[in-house]
RNA sequence: GCCGGGGUGGCGGAACUGGUAGACGCGCCGGACUCAAAAUCCGGUUCCAGUGAUGGAGUGAGGGUUCGAUUCCCUCCCCCGGCACCA
């Protein structure tokens, strides 16, 4: 054994031994299966600390389960389609396919150098036709079933580049490359009926008890089930249908509002140029909900009148930009008295505000100022004619009943969730397998002709999808009539790719089926790990897709992920410079030098390369788009994989977001060196592999008790709590004690042998290379991962005396020693007798004494 | 704007079920070793007062419940994530 720790030498050697032994193949072993999965990365170029953290967490859990005797599947793959490859192509002229595959090659090497127990035989990339053919195959099944369908949807349109923009490419309402104000545009797209599964997606959240509560809450709110009513308002010869969650407030409706895209608005604008101009105005700006929700509420009267279905009163019909065509019916009945947005709008445009729900005793309704309790459902109806005096619930029921009687409405359940639009007007994605024929219409590509292969040599230039101009791709005979036809050039949302990759890992090389019988052997995923930013969309789509595949009898599970760990994001400062057109160039924090004041606040940041100033853009998640990803490679080169792994697990608990800082890497490095030299010192005196001490006493007994307490804690932290930082802290603490312990007799050396063997196994999931190496130095054969997890010796845990804290009026005033489970009276007596305690009680009357067994005494004295 | 989460020493964090606030680590200070430096080892380190024993304050701000609150409740401030075409 070498005297000093040299990761540069041991890590590659151990990695090649693992490879030779096929140590990480999922087929290996015969224990219970454990499928441990991390969200696959987008191959953006280099690993960043967010990846590092994610995959280290996954590896720690995998290796811990491996040591517990499980047969572990830890796969890896690439979410390889997507926008950044097109952006890179525009910047460098390199085809997205080449850029993506180069990135994958580089990142695969990086992952391998980190020593993850990944079964590389199962690697997949979503841009491979072998993978995406099954997207196409399944899409056609969904089309047959009517789950996939076509309708129009709204996109961001850049009028200069004549192209559709992603929300990310819309900056302050303008196109990112052209700076032109974007417009909303309606185009035909394919959708999946996720709303058909809304009830089940909501209900089965209750079964996901291995998921964080916050994720379940977010998904439930996203699905957004609400009970309400649809109500029809006559408007000339037309009917305006609305959905409301508050039919009880119907008597307070004072106007109607429709979305700018509503057919009624279009009709009303035909001979009203002013209204037409307003509707055109509403087309400006981005499509994202955040954009719509934060824009100023604007409206215009159409001049049309709608008839209140119960009172017959005439209500003005307005066009309003806060009403969304995509939600509900694209029209609302406005009740300014009890809806905050309607109140704001009514105040602005001087529309009547009528209170129809009473407030608590003594509260008066203020028509000039909104208060949150106006929206409450605690009061009774008033100003509502025959319904006056009813509770909101009773009023709801009575009004819905009367509407049903008049054929003017009915109770209805509405979801916030909208159908999933999967068409993307982009090149670098999975082609949608449809052929458009002038005579036959939209014809599915026959199953035998799959996959529709994406040509890999095109280079996007920012002006639309290059597939449109690729004649070899577009021109094809119609499968039905054989006459010339055109292929669909839209590709699929990349969320389709990531909605089932975890199933494909179970049979990645099967070229005859999407999934097979091995899939159900591994599913569901026992532990899924990924960023909290995926809490809603990716996880919801993956759940939905799994249910779709279940309904095609392809999988047997209802839910794909039994247990979920949502990793907090790794954040870093962003830096940018703005050019004369307001376009921002982002600089990597590694290339920026920062000056701070004595409180650590940033004063000035300059680019190291040219010394010129750059602007701080705030702390954000590490991402390609803001170029603030920190590459762990430099640290791995300097300290080795184990140090970086140890540090990234020690820095914070996994669920918490983490602002990146390198301070502390030294500490991880020092710990591993101390570990190494501690084992070395012991080995110098001769090893005693696998031996356990006889009865211990004095300091040896204390050390052994701490050892077994530590074994218990670390196992609990790895297996149940997933707090790797506290597990590591406990190992460090024990190692500090162990290094200070001086063996006096042979039995002490047996204890030290037991202790080092335990420490090496406890830390092995986090720092596998050094653990393998030390395991052998300690005289043990084989891999530490075959050695099993150390067992707690209960007899070592027994204590004779405990320290009990004594408080006087809630403040700690002293400590006493007592045997475990001492009788209350005895502890109380000892507490009152303690010198400093007595000083504080002196001259006062003891009113009460609270004794928490084996822990604490609180004396209440006045 | 809406939904979800977070805020504890100079810094990352610990305190798991309402019971010793600050484990472990970084940084800093002091010491040992060294011709010297690095590395390493030992000791100290929430703030204020005190040589010290010890006392007072303290977990974003304010209020409440409790013998006792970082933990539970209410109001507010700030930060982060998501908002359906970033992944």
């Amino acid at each position: 054994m070498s005297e000093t720790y040299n990761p540069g030498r041991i890590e590659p050697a151990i990695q090649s031994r693992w490879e030779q032994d096929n140590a990480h193949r999922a087929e290996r072993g015969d224990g219970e299966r454990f499928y441990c999965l991390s969200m696959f990365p987008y191959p953006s170029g280099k690993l960043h600390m967010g990846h590092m953290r994610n995959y280290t967490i996954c590896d720690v859990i995998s290796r811990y389960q491996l040591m517990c005797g499980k047969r572990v599947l830890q796969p890896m793959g690439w979410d390889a389609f997507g926008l950044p490859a097109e952006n890179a192509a525009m910047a460098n002229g390199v085809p997205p396919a080449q850029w993506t595959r180069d990135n994958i090659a580089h990142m695969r090497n990086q992952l391998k150098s980190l020593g993850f127990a990944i079964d590389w035989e199962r690697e997949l990339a979503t841009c491979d036709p072998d993978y995406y053919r099954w997207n196409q195959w399944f899409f056609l099944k969904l089309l047959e079933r009517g789950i996939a369908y076509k309708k129009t949807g709204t996109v961001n349109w850049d009028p200069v580049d004549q192209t559709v923009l992603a929300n990310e490419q819309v900056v302050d309402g303008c196109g990112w490359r052209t700076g032109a104000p974007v417009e909303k545009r309606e185009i035909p797209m394919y959708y999946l009926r996720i709303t058909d599964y809304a009830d089940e997606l909501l209900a089965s959240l209750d079964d996901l008890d291995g998921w964080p509560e916050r994720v379940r809450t977010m998904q439930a709110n996203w699905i957004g089930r609400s009970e309400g009513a649809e109500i029809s308002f006559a408007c000339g010869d037309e009917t305006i249908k609305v959905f409301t969650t508050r039919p009880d407030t119907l008597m307070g409706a004072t106007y109607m509002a429709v979305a700018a895209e509503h057919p009624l608005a279009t009709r009303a604008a035909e001979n009203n140029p002013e209204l037409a101009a307003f509707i055109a105005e509403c087309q400006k700006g981005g499509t994202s909900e955040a954009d719509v929700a934060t824009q100023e509420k604007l409206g215009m009267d159409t001049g049309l009148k709608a008839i209140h279905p119960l009172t017959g009163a005439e209500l003005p019909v307005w066009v309003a930009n806060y009403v969304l065509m995509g939600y509900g019916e694209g029209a609302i009945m406005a009740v300014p008295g009890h809806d905050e947005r309607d109140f704001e709008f009514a105040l602005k445009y001087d529309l009547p505000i009528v209170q129809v729900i009473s407030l608590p005793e003594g509260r008066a309704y203020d028509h000039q100022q909104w208060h949150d309790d106006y929206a409450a459902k605690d009061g009774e109806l008033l100003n509502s004619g025959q319904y006056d005096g009813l509770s909101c619930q009773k009023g709801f029921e009575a009004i819905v009943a009367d509407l049903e009687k008049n054929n003017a409405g009915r109770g209805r359940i509405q979801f916030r969730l909208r159908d999933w639009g999967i068409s993307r007007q982009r090149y670098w994605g999975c082609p949608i397998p449809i052929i458009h024929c002038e005579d036959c219409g939209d014809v599915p590509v026959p199953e035998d002709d799959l996959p529709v292969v994406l040509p890999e040599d095109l280079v996007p230039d920012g002006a639309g999808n290059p597939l449109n101009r690729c004649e070899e791709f577009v021109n094809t005979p119609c499968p039905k009539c054989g006459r010339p036809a055109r292929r669909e050039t839209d590709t699929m949302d990349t969320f389709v790719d990531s909605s089932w990759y975890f199933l494909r890992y179970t049979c990645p090389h099967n070229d005859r089926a999407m999934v097979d019988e091995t899939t159900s052997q591994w599913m569901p995923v026992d532990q899924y790990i990924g960023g909290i930013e995926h809490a809603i969309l990716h996880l919801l789509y993956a759940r939905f897709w799994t249910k779709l595949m279940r309904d095609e009898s392809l999988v047997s599970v209802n839910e794909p992920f039994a247990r979920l760990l949502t990793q907090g994001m790794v954040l870093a400062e962003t830096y940018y410079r703005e050019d004369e057109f307001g376009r921002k160039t982002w600089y990597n924090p590694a290339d920026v030098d920062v000056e701070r004041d004595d409180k650590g606040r940033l004063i000035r940041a300059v680019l190291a390369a040219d010394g010129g100033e750059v602007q701080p853009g705030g702390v954000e998640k590490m991402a390609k788009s803001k170029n603030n990803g920190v590459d762990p490679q430099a640290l791995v080169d300097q300290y080795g994989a184990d140090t970086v792994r140890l540090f990234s697990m020690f820095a914070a608990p996994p669920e918490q977001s983490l602002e990146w800082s390198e301070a502390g890497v030294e500490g991880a490095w020092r710990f591993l060196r101390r570990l190494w030299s501690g084992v070395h010192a012991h080995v110098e005196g001769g090893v005693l592999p696998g031996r356990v001490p006889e009865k211990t006493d004095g300091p040896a007994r204390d050390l052994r008790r701490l050892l077994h307490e530590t074994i218990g804690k670390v196992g609990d932290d790895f297996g149940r709590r997933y707090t790797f930082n506290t597990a590591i802290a406990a190992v460090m603490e024990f190692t500090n004690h162990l290094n200070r312990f001086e063996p006096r007799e042979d039995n002490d050396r047996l204890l030290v042998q037991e202790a080092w063997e335990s420490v090496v196994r406890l830390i092995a999931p986090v720092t596998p290379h050094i653990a393998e190496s030390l395991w052998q130095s300690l005289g043990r054969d084989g891999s530490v991962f075959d050695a099993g997890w150390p067992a707690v010796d209960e007899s070592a845990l027994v204590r004779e005396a405990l320290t009990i804290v004594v408080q006087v009026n809630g403040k700690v005033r002293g400590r006493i020693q007592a045997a475990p489970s001492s009788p209350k009276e005895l502890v109380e007596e000892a507490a009152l007798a303690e010198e400093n305690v007595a000083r504080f009680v002196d001259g006062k009357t003891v009113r009460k004494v609270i004794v928490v067994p084996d822990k604490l005494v609180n004396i209440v004295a006045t």
Side-chain angles (χ1 to χ4, degrees):
Chain A
M1 178 188 191
S2 121
E3 194 177 340
T4 53
Y5 171 48
N6 186 344
R9 204 158 57 225
I10 66 168
E11 290 183 358
I14 298 231
Q15 284 168 14
S16 45
R17 203 183 81 201
W18 285 335
E19 205 163 323
Q20 272 165 31
D21 295 351
N22 282 322
H24 305 142
R25 297 293 302 277
E27 290 79 6
R28 192 173 170 273
D30 50 9
E32 196 186 325
R33 287 167 203 263
F34 191 90
Y35 187 176
C36 195
L37 176 74
S38 21
M39 291 181 187
F40 63 169
Y42 180 80
S44 55
K46 297 173 187 168
L47 286 189
H48 60 62
M49 275 298 163
H51 296 126
M52 170 80 205
R53 193 183 190 195
N54 196 160
Y55 306 135
T56 305
I57 292 167
C58 195
D59 199 48
V60 170
I61 296 171
S62 293
R63 288 182 180 276
Y64 172 72
Q65 294 294 342
L66 211 54
M67 291 180 78
C68 291
K70 301 277 176 63
R71 185 178 153 188
V72 174
L73 167 56
Q74 187 185 199
M76 183 55 67
W78 309 97
D79 189 12
F81 276 137
L83 205 51
E86 299 200 12
N87 296 337
M90 284 183 249
N92 315 316
V94 182
Q98 191 193 326
W99 182 84
T100 302
R101 291 186 211 284
D102 288 350
N103 288 348
I104 288 174
H106 179 69
M107 290 170 77
R108 184 193 298 117
N109 283 337
Q110 287 193 297
L111 286 174
K112 287 192 171 176
S113 76
L114 285 162
F116 297 133
I118 290 167
D119 184 350
W120 284 103
E121 291 296 311
R122 292 164 185 264
E123 181 183 358
L124 59 81
T126 58
C127 62
D128 288 342
D130 287 348
Y131 181 81
Y132 67 67
R133 67 176 297 175
W134 301 110
N135 284 359
Q136 297 173 344
W137 178 80
F138 197 66
F139 171 80
L140 295 178
K141 294 264 173 250
L142 295 177
L143 208 56
E144 274 168 35
R145 270 174 61 196
I147 294 289
Y149 67 100
K150 204 174 180 183
K151 70 165 183 182
T152 62
T154 315
V155 294
N156 303 304
W157 181 255
D158 186 318
V160 173
D161 264 350
Q162 295 280 300
T163 193
V164 175
L165 297 179
N167 285 337
E168 190 188 51
Q169 298 172 315
V170 178
V171 183
D172 299 327
C174 298
W176 65 326
R177 282 159 50 84
T178 63
V182 299
E183 299 162 11
K184 297 183 186 73
R185 188 171 267 216
E186 300 285 314
I187 58 166
M189 303 206 283
Y190 284 95
Y191 283 83
L192 302 185
R193 284 188 209 281
I194 192 171
T195 50
D196 279 8
Y197 285 74
D199 262 324
E200 198 198 333
L201 287 166
L202 186 63
S204 51
L205 284 174
D206 291 340
D207 306 332
L208 296 175
D209 45 18
W211 282 38
E213 196 55 49
R214 61 170 158 158
V215 175
R216 291 193 284 172
T217 307
M218 279 191 262
Q219 292 221 346
N221 290 341
W222 183 262
I223 295 166
R225 183 182 192 276
S226 51
E227 290 179 16
E230 64 175 47
I231 306 177
S232 297
F233 291 73
C235 177
D237 301 335
E238 318 263 342
T239 320
I240 306 177
K241 201 163 42 156
V242 305
F243 175 81
T244 176
T245 56
R246 295 296 303 273
D248 50 316
T249 63
L250 178 56
M251 303 306 261
T254 58
Y255 66 98
M256 308 290 292
V258 300
E261 300 84 7
H262 197 277
L264 209 73
T266 316
R267 199 109 21 81
E270 275 166 13
N271 37 29
N272 183 344
E274 211 187 335
L275 186 61
F278 176 72
I279 289 172
E281 182 73 20
C282 289
Q283 299 300 316
K284 282 191 187 154
T287 57
S288 81
E289 190 183 279
D291 283 346
V292 175
T294 49
Q295 72 193 355
E296 193 193 353
K297 287 178 188 52
L298 295 174
M300 183 172 280
D301 194 349
T302 61
L304 300 170
K305 302 290 178 201
I307 305 300
H308 193 288
L310 296 180
T311 65
E314 282 195 339
L315 303 177
V317 179
W318 284 62
V319 174
N321 66 349
Y322 71 98
V323 180
L324 302 176
M325 196 59 213
Y327 181 62
E329 302 292 338
I332 60 159
M333 69 172 204
V335 184
H338 302 282
D339 180 280
E340 187 173 5
R341 287 166 309 173
D342 297 346
F343 186 96
E344 191 190 319
F345 191 86
L347 211 56
K348 176 167 180 172
Y349 291 105
D350 204 21
L351 290 156
I353 297 171
V354 180
Q355 181 195 4
V356 291
I357 305 290
S358 66
L359 289 170
E361 280 292 317
R363 293 262 290 108
Y365 194 94
D366 179 352
H367 285 74
Q368 298 307 314
Q369 179 63 52
W370 173 262
H371 293 276
D372 283 343
D373 59 353
Y374 294 175
K377 296 180 181 175
D378 315 321
E380 357 184 282
L381 275 59
L382 51 89
N383 294 327
S384 295
Q386 61 183 104
Y387 307 106
D388 281 1
L390 295 177
S391 67
C392 287
Q393 183 58 40
K394 292 276 181 228
F396 184 118
E397 290 160 12
I399 288 173
V400 170
D402 287 347
L403 287 169
E404 278 175 8
K405 226 179 294 167
N406 301 350
N407 262 332
R410 60 186 177 93
R412 192 175 102 185
I413 295 191
Q414 173 77 24
F415 292 95
R416 202 187 79 94
L417 183 68
R418 309 196 295 260
D419 275 345
W420 175 14
I422 58 158
S423 295
R424 297 290 179 270
Q425 296 69 43
R426 304 203 192 292
Y427 158 61
W428 190 235
C430 166
I432 294 176
I434 295 286
I435 293 165
H436 302 289
C437 170
E438 274 186 27
D439 300 310
C440 309
D442 300 342
V443 183
V445 173
E447 199 178 318
D448 289 347
D449 294 349
L450 295 181
V452 175
V453 177
L454 186 73
E456 294 206 348
D457 51 353
L458 305 185
V459 184
D461 58 7
N465 182 351
L467 279 180
N468 291 324
R469 288 166 274 153
C470 178
E471 298 299 323
E472 307 89 274
F473 178 79
V474 170
N475 294 326
T476 188
C478 169
K480 262 192 187 163
C481 67
R483 273 181 288 204
R486 292 178 66 78
R487 270 191 206 286
E488 171 69 51
T489 57
D490 279 2
T491 52
M492 291 187 200
D493 181 2
T494 55
F495 276 126
V496 171
D497 309 328
S498 55
S499 286
W500 69 283
Y501 74 106
F502 45 90
L503 298 168
R504 189 65 182 171
Y505 280 140
T506 62
C507 56
H509 308 300
N510 190 332
D511 56 4
R512 292 176 319 281
M514 187 173 186
V515 291
D516 60 27
E517 63 286 350
T518 54
T519 309
S520 37
Q521 288 167 14
W522 283 107
M523 288 298 290
V525 173
D526 294 282
Q527 179 65 59
Y528 195 31
I529 301 142
I532 183 67
E533 71 271 28
H534 296 293
I536 297 175
L537 291 178
H538 160 62
L539 287 168
L540 188 67
Y541 292 142
R543 294 179 60 217
F544 169 50
W545 197 275
T546 300
K547 290 173 194 294
L548 291 175
M549 286 182 66
R550 175 202 61 195
D551 290 349
E552 284 287 332
S553 305
L554 294 167
V555 295
S556 50
V557 291
N558 290 317
E559 286 288 339
F561 313 121
R563 196 171 163 185
L564 174 70
L565 191 151
T566 46
Q567 170 207 321
M569 248 147 321
V570 181
L571 312 174
E573 186 64 68
T574 57
Y575 300 98
Y576 66 90
R577 279 186 193 151
E578 221 167 349
D579 72 9
E580 54 196 305
F581 306 110
R583 286 182 298 215
K584 287 171 179 167
T585 308
W586 299 89
Y587 296 95
N588 195 276
D591 304 327
V592 173
D593 293 329
V594 169
E595 280 175 51
R596 294 181 185 276
D597 66 13
D598 46 3
K599 291 210 172 111
R601 279 179 304 228
L602 196 149
I603 315 171
R604 204 169 102 92
V606 297
L607 190 65
D610 61 14
E613 197 159 348
V614 290
Q615 299 304 311
V619 175
E620 292 191 49
K621 72 166 170 172
M622 286 189 182
K624 184 87 182 158
S625 61
K626 296 286 170 70
N627 190 15
N628 64 337
V630 175
D631 185 357
Q633 199 62 51
L635 290 176
V636 173
D637 294 345
Q638 191 179 349
Y639 294 100
D642 280 343
T643 294
V644 186
R645 293 170 58 118
L646 178 65
F647 170 66
S648 72
M649 290 300 93
F650 185 57
E655 306 244 42
Q656 200 165 305
S657 64
L658 171 65
E659 200 173 321
W660 175 246
S661 153
E662 266 171 43
V665 183
E666 280 291 335
W669 167 249
R670 283 204 280 261
F671 169 70
L672 292 183
R673 283 174 52 117
R674 276 203 304 277
L675 177 62
W676 186 277
S677 61
V679 171
H680 181 261
H682 170 66
V683 166
E684 288 292 288
V687 293
L688 310 132
R691 302 269 306 275
V692 172
E694 313 276 310
K695 200 173 177 313
T696 49
D697 230 324
R701 185 168 177 188
D702 289 340
L703 184 71
R704 190 153 194 273
R705 184 177 56 240
L706 184 61
L707 169 63
H708 285 273
E709 283 171 354
T710 305
I711 292 171
K713 163 148 187 74
V714 173
D716 188 45
D717 284 353
F718 281 165
R720 178 183 64 91
R721 292 216 303 154
Y722 288 173
T723 50
F724 311 114
N725 56 330
T726 55
I728 293 164
V731 176
M732 285 177 170
E733 197 169 3
F734 176 74
T735 306
N736 289 342
H737 281 94
L738 178 54
N739 270 328
R740 265 179 226 134
F741 178 74
E742 286 171 21
R744 290 171 203 283
E745 46 175 15
D746 289 352
N747 203 41
D748 286 350
R749 294 209 72 247
L750 289 179
L751 169 59
V752 172
Q753 176 80 26
E754 181 197 19
W756 283 124
E757 286 188 7
S758 303
V759 166
V760 164
R761 282 186 289 171
L762 294 181
I763 204 68
V766 182
T767 56
H769 309 89
I770 191 174
E772 288 279 36
S773 188
L774 292 178
W775 186 244
Q776 292 187 343
S777 303
L778 284 163
R780 305 292 303 247
D781 297 325
S783 166
V784 68
F785 296 99
D786 294 330
W789 189 252
V792 176
D793 179 353
E794 297 290 337
S795 71
L797 300 177
V798 180
R799 287 172 182 270
E800 290 100 41
L802 297 167
T803 302
I804 292 175
V805 163
V806 186
Q807 301 182 329
V808 178
N809 294 328
K811 292 191 181 193
V812 180
R813 299 301 181 187
R815 288 175 174 77
I816 55 171
Q817 298 290 311
S821 316
S822 296
K824 254 184 167 176
E825 300 72 33
L826 220 69
V827 174
E828 199 176 316
E829 199 183 317
L832 285 161
E834 205 275 343
E835 204 182 340
N836 200 44
V837 173
R839 203 155 70 81
F840 276 87
V841 175
D842 189 37
K844 291 176 179 161
T845 315
V846 175
R847 304 283 171 193
K848 200 170 167 186
V849 180
I850 292 123
V851 180
V852 181
D854 292 347
K855 261 197 174 151
L856 170 144
V857 179
N858 187 12
I859 299 158
V860 184
T862 50

